[in-house]
Amino acid sequence: MKVCVLGAGTMGHGITQVCAMAGHSVTMRDIEQEYVENGIEGIRKNLQGGVDRGKVTEAEMEETLDRIDTAVDLDEAVPGADIVVEAVPEKMDLKKQTFEDVEALAGDDTVIASNTSSLSVTEIASALDHDQRAVGLHFFNPVHIMQLVEIVVPEQASEDTVEFAQEFVSGIDREPVTVRDSAGFASSRLGVSLGVEAIRMLEEGVASPQDIDTAMELGYNHPMGPIELGDVVGLDVRLDILEYLREELGERFRPPQLLKQKVRAGKLGKKTGEGFYVWEDGEIVGTSGDWGDD
């Protein structure tokens, strides 16, 4: 199968990697060559980590990289793809424009998927003339480790599209769960609820970021605590999702003031080197301020 992934960031290069490891030919596209190169380097680093841990062989690493092509021009990436997965920033207008641009280049049978974590796939799909081909594929970060993919079914999707998505997800060695398109789906709605409450606990001085995260990791067997996860995902992304869910579902998703302050200060988490934690070379080296408060 030929797969096209739009976006070479954290999610985009992760999706590219798992598809290539499953044997698919993948074209990863982003708007700047620098972004594409950074994405390839991220894939290479992930694979080398697998080799170092004995999870991936050197041959598997090279075969995976050989299956990946890159592009900057959309008209080089999309034609001939069996499925296109967009992993562009969480902005409704951008995602709708991306869907529209993809359809102009895609084949009649190409499935067009969004990796949105909370936005309405039904609304994104409305940009298509043939909207029955649209579906949501919500991957989880880090993609090369997390097994779950949430298949989000918009109002327009055909049964064939949903079946294709389920088979595709199973074929890349991931576990699909299928949900109806509603604000926040299932996973984001629950995950963001936990994350926003953890930030409110910081505001109230209940516990430190480390202790809140440790409580969820050891007490509930979460692989990563909610404060660290927010930093990894990006505090700006968390804020955008909360504002969207507040508009759709009400005040219980009102963003905490502390989160707004972090975003206004440009402290967006791991990608900027500081959020609620301080990061160096992708690792936590301390907390930002007094228990994460400025």
PDB file of all heavy atoms in Angstrom, residues 11 86-96 114-121 124 137-139 184-185 188 192 233-234 236-245 271:
ATOM      1  N   MET A  11       3.868  13.909  15.570  1.00  0.00           N
ATOM      2  CA  MET A  11       2.879  12.918  15.174  1.00  0.00           C
ATOM      3  C   MET A  11       3.122  12.426  13.754  1.00  0.00           C
ATOM      4  O   MET A  11       3.049  11.226  13.474  1.00  0.00           O
ATOM      5  CB  MET A  11       1.473  13.507  15.296  1.00  0.00           C
ATOM      6  CG  MET A  11       1.086  13.924  16.708  1.00  0.00           C
ATOM      7  SD  MET A  11       1.250  12.584  17.915  1.00  0.00           S
ATOM      8  CE  MET A  11       0.019  11.428  17.314  1.00  0.00           C
ATOM      9  N   GLU A  86      -3.495  13.338   7.297  1.00  0.00           N
ATOM     10  CA  GLU A  86      -2.967  14.665   7.624  1.00  0.00           C
ATOM     11  C   GLU A  86      -2.655  14.731   9.117  1.00  0.00           C
ATOM     12  O   GLU A  86      -3.431  14.278   9.951  1.00  0.00           O
ATOM     13  CB  GLU A  86      -3.932  15.776   7.197  1.00  0.00           C
ATOM     14  CG  GLU A  86      -5.255  15.871   7.947  1.00  0.00           C
ATOM     15  CD  GLU A  86      -5.163  16.572   9.288  1.00  0.00           C
ATOM     16  OE1 GLU A  86      -4.111  17.138   9.620  1.00  0.00           O
ATOM     17  OE2 GLU A  86      -6.161  16.534  10.023  1.00  0.00           O
ATOM     18  N   ALA A  87      -1.492  15.308   9.396  1.00  0.00           N
ATOM     19  CA  ALA A  87      -1.078  15.528  10.786  1.00  0.00           C
ATOM     20  C   ALA A  87      -0.574  16.966  10.903  1.00  0.00           C
ATOM     21  O   ALA A  87       0.510  17.230  11.402  1.00  0.00           O
ATOM     22  CB  ALA A  87       0.011  14.534  11.184  1.00  0.00           C
ATOM     23  N   VAL A  88      -1.408  17.898  10.409  1.00  0.00           N
ATOM     24  CA  VAL A  88      -1.073  19.319  10.458  1.00  0.00           C
ATOM     25  C   VAL A  88      -1.584  19.886  11.778  1.00  0.00           C
ATOM     26  O   VAL A  88      -2.326  19.221  12.515  1.00  0.00           O
ATOM     27  CB  VAL A  88      -1.677  20.068   9.247  1.00  0.00           C
ATOM     28  CG1 VAL A  88      -1.221  19.431   7.943  1.00  0.00           C
ATOM     29  CG2 VAL A  88      -3.207  20.115   9.303  1.00  0.00           C
ATOM     30  N   PRO A  89      -1.207  21.120  12.137  1.00  0.00           N
ATOM     31  CA  PRO A  89      -1.636  21.697  13.422  1.00  0.00           C
ATOM     32  C   PRO A  89      -3.153  21.709  13.609  1.00  0.00           C
ATOM     33  O   PRO A  89      -3.918  21.729  12.641  1.00  0.00           O
ATOM     34  CB  PRO A  89      -1.069  23.121  13.370  1.00  0.00           C
ATOM     35  CG  PRO A  89       0.164  22.979  12.522  1.00  0.00           C
ATOM     36  CD  PRO A  89      -0.209  21.976  11.469  1.00  0.00           C
ATOM     37  N   GLU A  90      -3.550  21.713  14.889  1.00  0.00           N
ATOM     38  CA  GLU A  90      -4.969  21.594  15.259  1.00  0.00           C
ATOM     39  C   GLU A  90      -5.719  22.910  15.043  1.00  0.00           C
ATOM     40  O   GLU A  90      -6.174  23.568  15.995  1.00  0.00           O
ATOM     41  CB  GLU A  90      -5.082  21.169  16.725  1.00  0.00           C
ATOM     42  CG  GLU A  90      -4.686  19.721  17.002  1.00  0.00           C
ATOM     43  CD  GLU A  90      -5.765  18.747  16.558  1.00  0.00           C
ATOM     44  OE1 GLU A  90      -6.696  18.484  17.332  1.00  0.00           O
ATOM     45  OE2 GLU A  90      -5.687  18.250  15.422  1.00  0.00           O
ATOM     46  N   LYS A  91      -5.869  23.276  13.782  1.00  0.00           N
ATOM     47  CA  LYS A  91      -6.629  24.450  13.389  1.00  0.00           C
ATOM     48  C   LYS A  91      -7.668  24.017  12.360  1.00  0.00           C
ATOM     49  O   LYS A  91      -7.310  23.474  11.311  1.00  0.00           O
ATOM     50  CB  LYS A  91      -5.715  25.519  12.792  1.00  0.00           C
ATOM     51  CG  LYS A  91      -4.564  25.957  13.701  1.00  0.00           C
ATOM     52  CD  LYS A  91      -5.056  26.735  14.912  1.00  0.00           C
ATOM     53  CE  LYS A  91      -3.890  27.236  15.758  1.00  0.00           C
ATOM     54  NZ  LYS A  91      -4.364  27.940  16.978  1.00  0.00           N
ATOM     55  N   MET A  92      -8.937  24.279  12.645  1.00  0.00           N
ATOM     56  CA  MET A  92      -9.998  23.793  11.771  1.00  0.00           C
ATOM     57  C   MET A  92      -9.847  24.284  10.343  1.00  0.00           C
ATOM     58  O   MET A  92      -9.953  23.504   9.387  1.00  0.00           O
ATOM     59  CB  MET A  92     -11.366  24.204  12.327  1.00  0.00           C
ATOM     60  CG  MET A  92     -12.545  23.779  11.473  1.00  0.00           C
ATOM     61  SD  MET A  92     -12.676  21.976  11.244  1.00  0.00           S
ATOM     62  CE  MET A  92     -13.319  21.497  12.859  1.00  0.00           C
ATOM     63  N   ASP A  93      -9.594  25.572  10.171  1.00  0.00           N
ATOM     64  CA  ASP A  93      -9.485  26.113   8.808  1.00  0.00           C
ATOM     65  C   ASP A  93      -8.341  25.457   8.043  1.00  0.00           C
ATOM     66  O   ASP A  93      -8.466  25.172   6.844  1.00  0.00           O
ATOM     67  CB  ASP A  93      -9.280  27.629   8.854  1.00  0.00           C
ATOM     68  CG  ASP A  93     -10.528  28.374   9.300  1.00  0.00           C
ATOM     69  OD1 ASP A  93     -11.606  27.757   9.310  1.00  0.00           O
ATOM     70  OD2 ASP A  93     -10.422  29.571   9.628  1.00  0.00           O
ATOM     71  N   LEU A  94      -7.221  25.221   8.727  1.00  0.00           N
ATOM     72  CA  LEU A  94      -6.067  24.591   8.082  1.00  0.00           C
ATOM     73  C   LEU A  94      -6.377  23.162   7.680  1.00  0.00           C
ATOM     74  O   LEU A  94      -6.021  22.714   6.574  1.00  0.00           O
ATOM     75  CB  LEU A  94      -4.862  24.643   9.018  1.00  0.00           C
ATOM     76  CG  LEU A  94      -3.584  23.961   8.525  1.00  0.00           C
ATOM     77  CD1 LEU A  94      -3.120  24.565   7.197  1.00  0.00           C
ATOM     78  CD2 LEU A  94      -2.486  24.057   9.578  1.00  0.00           C
ATOM     79  N   LYS A  95      -7.039  22.429   8.549  1.00  0.00           N
ATOM     80  CA  LYS A  95      -7.358  21.035   8.233  1.00  0.00           C
ATOM     81  C   LYS A  95      -8.356  20.940   7.080  1.00  0.00           C
ATOM     82  O   LYS A  95      -8.215  20.086   6.193  1.00  0.00           O
ATOM     83  CB  LYS A  95      -7.879  20.331   9.489  1.00  0.00           C
ATOM     84  CG  LYS A  95      -6.777  20.073  10.523  1.00  0.00           C
ATOM     85  CD  LYS A  95      -7.268  19.268  11.698  1.00  0.00           C
ATOM     86  CE  LYS A  95      -6.157  19.014  12.716  1.00  0.00           C
ATOM     87  NZ  LYS A  95      -5.109  18.100  12.210  1.00  0.00           N
ATOM     88  N   LYS A  96      -9.345  21.813   7.059  1.00  0.00           N
ATOM     89  CA  LYS A  96     -10.313  21.798   5.959  1.00  0.00           C
ATOM     90  C   LYS A  96      -9.641  22.151   4.633  1.00  0.00           C
ATOM     91  O   LYS A  96      -9.913  21.524   3.609  1.00  0.00           O
ATOM     92  CB  LYS A  96     -11.462  22.761   6.264  1.00  0.00           C
ATOM     93  CG  LYS A  96     -12.365  22.288   7.395  1.00  0.00           C
ATOM     94  CD  LYS A  96     -13.415  23.313   7.764  1.00  0.00           C
ATOM     95  CE  LYS A  96     -14.498  23.420   6.717  1.00  0.00           C
ATOM     96  NZ  LYS A  96     -15.604  24.294   7.180  1.00  0.00           N
ATOM     97  N   SER A 114      -7.881  12.292   8.987  1.00  0.00           N
ATOM     98  CA  SER A 114      -7.346  13.344   9.852  1.00  0.00           C
ATOM     99  C   SER A 114      -6.853  12.738  11.152  1.00  0.00           C
ATOM    100  O   SER A 114      -7.530  11.886  11.745  1.00  0.00           O
ATOM    101  CB  SER A 114      -8.423  14.384  10.160  1.00  0.00           C
ATOM    102  OG  SER A 114      -7.943  15.333  11.102  1.00  0.00           O
ATOM    103  N   ASN A 115      -5.696  13.190  11.601  1.00  0.00           N
ATOM    104  CA  ASN A 115      -5.152  12.757  12.886  1.00  0.00           C
ATOM    105  C   ASN A 115      -5.567  13.685  14.020  1.00  0.00           C
ATOM    106  O   ASN A 115      -4.962  13.683  15.085  1.00  0.00           O
ATOM    107  CB  ASN A 115      -3.619  12.678  12.805  1.00  0.00           C
ATOM    108  CG  ASN A 115      -2.996  12.220  14.111  1.00  0.00           C
ATOM    109  OD1 ASN A 115      -3.358  11.171  14.657  1.00  0.00           O
ATOM    110  ND2 ASN A 115      -2.076  13.003  14.657  1.00  0.00           N
ATOM    111  N   THR A 116      -6.607  14.486  13.808  1.00  0.00           N
ATOM    112  CA  THR A 116      -7.043  15.392  14.862  1.00  0.00           C
ATOM    113  C   THR A 116      -7.316  14.652  16.158  1.00  0.00           C
ATOM    114  O   THR A 116      -7.821  13.527  16.160  1.00  0.00           O
ATOM    115  CB  THR A 116      -8.294  16.182  14.444  1.00  0.00           C
ATOM    116  OG1 THR A 116      -8.656  17.085  15.496  1.00  0.00           O
ATOM    117  CG2 THR A 116      -9.463  15.261  14.153  1.00  0.00           C
ATOM    118  N   SER A 117      -6.985  15.303  17.280  1.00  0.00           N
ATOM    119  CA  SER A 117      -7.219  14.687  18.586  1.00  0.00           C
ATOM    120  C   SER A 117      -8.520  15.138  19.217  1.00  0.00           C
ATOM    121  O   SER A 117      -8.922  14.597  20.250  1.00  0.00           O
ATOM    122  CB  SER A 117      -6.060  15.012  19.535  1.00  0.00           C
ATOM    123  OG  SER A 117      -5.928  16.410  19.703  1.00  0.00           O
ATOM    124  N   SER A 118      -9.212  16.128  18.624  1.00  0.00           N
ATOM    125  CA  SER A 118     -10.442  16.599  19.261  1.00  0.00           C
ATOM    126  C   SER A 118     -11.406  17.300  18.317  1.00  0.00           C
ATOM    127  O   SER A 118     -12.597  17.375  18.600  1.00  0.00           O
ATOM    128  CB  SER A 118     -10.101  17.559  20.407  1.00  0.00           C
ATOM    129  OG  SER A 118      -9.499  18.738  19.909  1.00  0.00           O
ATOM    130  N   LEU A 119     -10.929  17.836  17.191  1.00  0.00           N
ATOM    131  CA  LEU A 119     -11.799  18.614  16.310  1.00  0.00           C
ATOM    132  C   LEU A 119     -12.806  17.719  15.593  1.00  0.00           C
ATOM    133  O   LEU A 119     -12.586  16.527  15.411  1.00  0.00           O
ATOM    134  CB  LEU A 119     -10.962  19.371  15.284  1.00  0.00           C
ATOM    135  CG  LEU A 119      -9.966  20.402  15.832  1.00  0.00           C
ATOM    136  CD1 LEU A 119      -9.201  21.052  14.690  1.00  0.00           C
ATOM    137  CD2 LEU A 119     -10.670  21.458  16.678  1.00  0.00           C
ATOM    138  N   SER A 120     -13.910  18.319  15.170  1.00  0.00           N
ATOM    139  CA  SER A 120     -14.967  17.582  14.493  1.00  0.00           C
ATOM    140  C   SER A 120     -14.501  17.090  13.132  1.00  0.00           C
ATOM    141  O   SER A 120     -14.222  17.885  12.226  1.00  0.00           O
ATOM    142  CB  SER A 120     -16.194  18.478  14.317  1.00  0.00           C
ATOM    143  OG  SER A 120     -17.134  17.875  13.445  1.00  0.00           O
ATOM    144  N   VAL A 121     -14.428  15.778  12.972  1.00  0.00           N
ATOM    145  CA  VAL A 121     -14.063  15.207  11.680  1.00  0.00           C
ATOM    146  C   VAL A 121     -15.188  15.435  10.675  1.00  0.00           C
ATOM    147  O   VAL A 121     -14.951  15.597   9.480  1.00  0.00           O
ATOM    148  CB  VAL A 121     -13.724  13.712  11.816  1.00  0.00           C
ATOM    149  CG1 VAL A 121     -13.299  13.128  10.468  1.00  0.00           C
ATOM    150  CG2 VAL A 121     -12.610  13.503  12.830  1.00  0.00           C
ATOM    151  N   ILE A 124     -14.477  18.818   9.297  1.00  0.00           N
ATOM    152  CA  ILE A 124     -13.305  18.767   8.415  1.00  0.00           C
ATOM    153  C   ILE A 124     -13.688  18.126   7.085  1.00  0.00           C
ATOM    154  O   ILE A 124     -13.321  18.616   6.012  1.00  0.00           O
ATOM    155  CB  ILE A 124     -12.164  17.975   9.080  1.00  0.00           C
ATOM    156  CG1 ILE A 124     -11.692  18.671  10.362  1.00  0.00           C
ATOM    157  CG2 ILE A 124     -10.984  17.820   8.117  1.00  0.00           C
ATOM    158  CD1 ILE A 124     -10.733  17.837  11.198  1.00  0.00           C
ATOM    159  N   LEU A 137      -8.319   9.293  12.143  1.00  0.00           N
ATOM    160  CA  LEU A 137      -7.388   8.304  12.694  1.00  0.00           C
ATOM    161  C   LEU A 137      -6.562   9.012  13.752  1.00  0.00           C
ATOM    162  O   LEU A 137      -5.582   9.686  13.446  1.00  0.00           O
ATOM    163  CB  LEU A 137      -6.473   7.730  11.602  1.00  0.00           C
ATOM    164  CG  LEU A 137      -7.125   6.843  10.537  1.00  0.00           C
ATOM    165  CD1 LEU A 137      -6.080   6.364   9.541  1.00  0.00           C
ATOM    166  CD2 LEU A 137      -7.841   5.652  11.165  1.00  0.00           C
ATOM    167  N   HIS A 138      -6.970   8.873  15.000  1.00  0.00           N
ATOM    168  CA  HIS A 138      -6.325   9.575  16.109  1.00  0.00           C
ATOM    169  C   HIS A 138      -5.250   8.683  16.705  1.00  0.00           C
ATOM    170  O   HIS A 138      -5.525   7.780  17.497  1.00  0.00           O
ATOM    171  CB  HIS A 138      -7.369   9.955  17.160  1.00  0.00           C
ATOM    172  CG  HIS A 138      -6.804  10.630  18.359  1.00  0.00           C
ATOM    173  ND1 HIS A 138      -7.432  10.618  19.586  1.00  0.00           N
ATOM    174  CD2 HIS A 138      -5.660  11.346  18.533  1.00  0.00           C
ATOM    175  CE1 HIS A 138      -6.701  11.281  20.460  1.00  0.00           C
ATOM    176  NE2 HIS A 138      -5.621  11.727  19.834  1.00  0.00           N
ATOM    177  N   PHE A 139      -4.009   8.943  16.299  1.00  0.00           N
ATOM    178  CA  PHE A 139      -2.861   8.235  16.864  1.00  0.00           C
ATOM    179  C   PHE A 139      -2.457   8.895  18.179  1.00  0.00           C
ATOM    180  O   PHE A 139      -2.827  10.040  18.465  1.00  0.00           O
ATOM    181  CB  PHE A 139      -1.672   8.285  15.897  1.00  0.00           C
ATOM    182  CG  PHE A 139      -1.827   7.443  14.670  1.00  0.00           C
ATOM    183  CD1 PHE A 139      -2.576   7.892  13.586  1.00  0.00           C
ATOM    184  CD2 PHE A 139      -1.211   6.209  14.577  1.00  0.00           C
ATOM    185  CE1 PHE A 139      -2.711   7.131  12.440  1.00  0.00           C
ATOM    186  CE2 PHE A 139      -1.337   5.434  13.438  1.00  0.00           C
ATOM    187  CZ  PHE A 139      -2.092   5.888  12.365  1.00  0.00           C
ATOM    188  N   GLY A 184     -14.111  15.891  21.321  1.00  0.00           N
ATOM    189  CA  GLY A 184     -13.138  15.220  22.178  1.00  0.00           C
ATOM    190  C   GLY A 184     -13.107  13.717  22.039  1.00  0.00           C
ATOM    191  O   GLY A 184     -12.282  13.057  22.688  1.00  0.00           O
ATOM    192  N   PHE A 185     -14.029  13.158  21.195  1.00  0.00           N
ATOM    193  CA  PHE A 185     -14.111  11.711  20.999  1.00  0.00           C
ATOM    194  C   PHE A 185     -14.223  11.017  22.363  1.00  0.00           C
ATOM    195  O   PHE A 185     -14.982  11.460  23.222  1.00  0.00           O
ATOM    196  CB  PHE A 185     -12.917  11.204  20.191  1.00  0.00           C
ATOM    197  CG  PHE A 185     -12.557  12.082  19.025  1.00  0.00           C
ATOM    198  CD1 PHE A 185     -11.235  12.355  18.698  1.00  0.00           C
ATOM    199  CD2 PHE A 185     -13.543  12.660  18.242  1.00  0.00           C
ATOM    200  CE1 PHE A 185     -10.904  13.168  17.627  1.00  0.00           C
ATOM    201  CE2 PHE A 185     -13.226  13.481  17.170  1.00  0.00           C
ATOM    202  CZ  PHE A 185     -11.895  13.734  16.870  1.00  0.00           C
ATOM    203  N   SER A 188      -9.566  11.780  24.084  1.00  0.00           N
ATOM    204  CA  SER A 188      -9.167  13.158  24.379  1.00  0.00           C
ATOM    205  C   SER A 188     -10.047  13.769  25.448  1.00  0.00           C
ATOM    206  O   SER A 188      -9.573  14.504  26.318  1.00  0.00           O
ATOM    207  CB  SER A 188      -9.223  14.010  23.106  1.00  0.00           C
ATOM    208  OG  SER A 188      -8.212  13.627  22.208  1.00  0.00           O
ATOM    209  N   VAL A 192      -7.957  14.852  28.545  1.00  0.00           N
ATOM    210  CA  VAL A 192      -7.869  16.288  28.814  1.00  0.00           C
ATOM    211  C   VAL A 192      -8.514  16.620  30.152  1.00  0.00           C
ATOM    212  O   VAL A 192      -8.043  17.504  30.875  1.00  0.00           O
ATOM    213  CB  VAL A 192      -8.507  17.088  27.660  1.00  0.00           C
ATOM    214  CG1 VAL A 192      -8.674  18.553  28.033  1.00  0.00           C
ATOM    215  CG2 VAL A 192      -7.644  16.981  26.405  1.00  0.00           C
ATOM    216  N   VAL A 233       2.909  16.802  24.728  1.00  0.00           N
ATOM    217  CA  VAL A 233       1.945  17.125  23.676  1.00  0.00           C
ATOM    218  C   VAL A 233       2.118  18.565  23.208  1.00  0.00           C
ATOM    219  O   VAL A 233       2.022  18.874  22.018  1.00  0.00           O
ATOM    220  CB  VAL A 233       0.509  16.890  24.173  1.00  0.00           C
ATOM    221  CG1 VAL A 233      -0.512  17.455  23.198  1.00  0.00           C
ATOM    222  CG2 VAL A 233       0.264  15.404  24.406  1.00  0.00           C
ATOM    223  N   GLY A 234       2.397  19.469  24.163  1.00  0.00           N
ATOM    224  CA  GLY A 234       2.486  20.900  23.874  1.00  0.00           C
ATOM    225  C   GLY A 234       1.386  21.633  24.602  1.00  0.00           C
ATOM    226  O   GLY A 234       0.196  21.333  24.406  1.00  0.00           O
ATOM    227  N   ASP A 236       0.380  24.633  24.250  1.00  0.00           N
ATOM    228  CA  ASP A 236      -0.457  25.382  23.314  1.00  0.00           C
ATOM    229  C   ASP A 236      -1.523  24.487  22.690  1.00  0.00           C
ATOM    230  O   ASP A 236      -2.678  24.909  22.511  1.00  0.00           O
ATOM    231  CB  ASP A 236       0.402  26.038  22.233  1.00  0.00           C
ATOM    232  CG  ASP A 236       1.327  25.055  21.513  1.00  0.00           C
ATOM    233  OD1 ASP A 236       1.655  23.995  22.088  1.00  0.00           O
ATOM    234  OD2 ASP A 236       1.729  25.364  20.376  1.00  0.00           O
ATOM    235  N   VAL A 237      -1.143  23.248  22.399  1.00  0.00           N
ATOM    236  CA  VAL A 237      -2.118  22.287  21.859  1.00  0.00           C
ATOM    237  C   VAL A 237      -3.179  21.980  22.907  1.00  0.00           C
ATOM    238  O   VAL A 237      -4.383  21.960  22.606  1.00  0.00           O
ATOM    239  CB  VAL A 237      -1.410  20.995  21.411  1.00  0.00           C
ATOM    240  CG1 VAL A 237      -2.429  19.949  20.946  1.00  0.00           C
ATOM    241  CG2 VAL A 237      -0.414  21.299  20.293  1.00  0.00           C
ATOM    242  N   ARG A 238      -2.745  21.774  24.155  1.00  0.00           N
ATOM    243  CA  ARG A 238      -3.699  21.522  25.243  1.00  0.00           C
ATOM    244  C   ARG A 238      -4.679  22.679  25.397  1.00  0.00           C
ATOM    245  O   ARG A 238      -5.882  22.484  25.581  1.00  0.00           O
ATOM    246  CB  ARG A 238      -2.939  21.292  26.554  1.00  0.00           C
ATOM    247  CG  ARG A 238      -2.522  19.843  26.798  1.00  0.00           C
ATOM    248  CD  ARG A 238      -3.775  19.028  27.146  1.00  0.00           C
ATOM    249  NE  ARG A 238      -3.576  17.611  26.961  1.00  0.00           N
ATOM    250  CZ  ARG A 238      -3.164  16.788  27.912  1.00  0.00           C
ATOM    251  NH1 ARG A 238      -2.842  17.255  29.094  1.00  0.00           N
ATOM    252  NH2 ARG A 238      -3.059  15.501  27.677  1.00  0.00           N
ATOM    253  N   LEU A 239      -4.166  23.896  25.322  1.00  0.00           N
ATOM    254  CA  LEU A 239      -5.022  25.068  25.476  1.00  0.00           C
ATOM    255  C   LEU A 239      -6.040  25.149  24.341  1.00  0.00           C
ATOM    256  O   LEU A 239      -7.230  25.409  24.580  1.00  0.00           O
ATOM    257  CB  LEU A 239      -4.169  26.338  25.522  1.00  0.00           C
ATOM    258  CG  LEU A 239      -4.928  27.657  25.665  1.00  0.00           C
ATOM    259  CD1 LEU A 239      -5.785  27.676  26.925  1.00  0.00           C
ATOM    260  CD2 LEU A 239      -3.945  28.822  25.680  1.00  0.00           C
ATOM    261  N   ASP A 240      -5.596  24.920  23.116  1.00  0.00           N
ATOM    262  CA  ASP A 240      -6.523  24.954  21.978  1.00  0.00           C
ATOM    263  C   ASP A 240      -7.628  23.915  22.131  1.00  0.00           C
ATOM    264  O   ASP A 240      -8.803  24.197  21.857  1.00  0.00           O
ATOM    265  CB  ASP A 240      -5.757  24.689  20.671  1.00  0.00           C
ATOM    266  CG  ASP A 240      -4.910  25.874  20.234  1.00  0.00           C
ATOM    267  OD1 ASP A 240      -5.127  26.990  20.740  1.00  0.00           O
ATOM    268  OD2 ASP A 240      -4.019  25.676  19.377  1.00  0.00           O
ATOM    269  N   ILE A 241      -7.257  22.718  22.573  1.00  0.00           N
ATOM    270  CA  ILE A 241      -8.251  21.658  22.745  1.00  0.00           C
ATOM    271  C   ILE A 241      -9.257  22.037  23.832  1.00  0.00           C
ATOM    272  O   ILE A 241     -10.480  21.868  23.672  1.00  0.00           O
ATOM    273  CB  ILE A 241      -7.565  20.321  23.077  1.00  0.00           C
ATOM    274  CG1 ILE A 241      -6.774  19.819  21.866  1.00  0.00           C
ATOM    275  CG2 ILE A 241      -8.591  19.269  23.505  1.00  0.00           C
ATOM    276  CD1 ILE A 241      -5.901  18.612  22.158  1.00  0.00           C
ATOM    277  N   LEU A 242      -8.762  22.559  24.941  1.00  0.00           N
ATOM    278  CA  LEU A 242      -9.660  22.951  26.033  1.00  0.00           C
ATOM    279  C   LEU A 242     -10.619  24.050  25.601  1.00  0.00           C
ATOM    280  O   LEU A 242     -11.815  24.012  25.943  1.00  0.00           O
ATOM    281  CB  LEU A 242      -8.842  23.407  27.244  1.00  0.00           C
ATOM    282  CG  LEU A 242      -8.242  22.291  28.091  1.00  0.00           C
ATOM    283  CD1 LEU A 242      -7.238  22.866  29.091  1.00  0.00           C
ATOM    284  CD2 LEU A 242      -9.339  21.524  28.834  1.00  0.00           C
ATOM    285  N   GLU A 243     -10.119  25.019  24.854  1.00  0.00           N
ATOM    286  CA  GLU A 243     -11.001  26.098  24.407  1.00  0.00           C
ATOM    287  C   GLU A 243     -12.072  25.570  23.467  1.00  0.00           C
ATOM    288  O   GLU A 243     -13.233  26.005  23.524  1.00  0.00           O
ATOM    289  CB  GLU A 243     -10.171  27.195  23.746  1.00  0.00           C
ATOM    290  CG  GLU A 243      -9.341  27.993  24.767  1.00  0.00           C
ATOM    291  CD  GLU A 243      -8.442  29.032  24.134  1.00  0.00           C
ATOM    292  OE1 GLU A 243      -8.127  28.880  22.936  1.00  0.00           O
ATOM    293  OE2 GLU A 243      -8.053  29.981  24.844  1.00  0.00           O
ATOM    294  N   TYR A 244     -11.702  24.619  22.626  1.00  0.00           N
ATOM    295  CA  TYR A 244     -12.682  24.009  21.730  1.00  0.00           C
ATOM    296  C   TYR A 244     -13.718  23.210  22.519  1.00  0.00           C
ATOM    297  O   TYR A 244     -14.933  23.330  22.289  1.00  0.00           O
ATOM    298  CB  TYR A 244     -11.976  23.109  20.725  1.00  0.00           C
ATOM    299  CG  TYR A 244     -12.916  22.294  19.862  1.00  0.00           C
ATOM    300  CD1 TYR A 244     -13.651  22.891  18.850  1.00  0.00           C
ATOM    301  CD2 TYR A 244     -13.068  20.924  20.073  1.00  0.00           C
ATOM    302  CE1 TYR A 244     -14.514  22.148  18.060  1.00  0.00           C
ATOM    303  CE2 TYR A 244     -13.923  20.174  19.290  1.00  0.00           C
ATOM    304  CZ  TYR A 244     -14.644  20.788  18.281  1.00  0.00           C
ATOM    305  OH  TYR A 244     -15.512  20.054  17.510  1.00  0.00           O
ATOM    306  N   LEU A 245     -13.262  22.403  23.487  1.00  0.00           N
ATOM    307  CA  LEU A 245     -14.192  21.595  24.276  1.00  0.00           C
ATOM    308  C   LEU A 245     -15.074  22.469  25.158  1.00  0.00           C
ATOM    309  O   LEU A 245     -16.246  22.141  25.395  1.00  0.00           O
ATOM    310  CB  LEU A 245     -13.416  20.583  25.130  1.00  0.00           C
ATOM    311  CG  LEU A 245     -12.697  19.472  24.355  1.00  0.00           C
ATOM    312  CD1 LEU A 245     -11.944  18.560  25.311  1.00  0.00           C
ATOM    313  CD2 LEU A 245     -13.676  18.674  23.501  1.00  0.00           C
ATOM    314  N   LYS A 271       8.936  20.954  23.544  1.00  0.00           N
ATOM    315  CA  LYS A 271       9.420  21.497  22.270  1.00  0.00           C
ATOM    316  C   LYS A 271      10.089  22.853  22.418  1.00  0.00           C
ATOM    317  O   LYS A 271      10.868  23.256  21.537  1.00  0.00           O
ATOM    318  CB  LYS A 271       8.271  21.589  21.263  1.00  0.00           C
ATOM    319  CG  LYS A 271       7.107  22.494  21.677  1.00  0.00           C
ATOM    320  CD  LYS A 271       5.969  22.362  20.689  1.00  0.00           C
ATOM    321  CE  LYS A 271       4.736  23.122  21.124  1.00  0.00           C
ATOM    322  NZ  LYS A 271       3.607  22.897  20.196  1.00  0.00           N
TER     323      LYS A 271
END
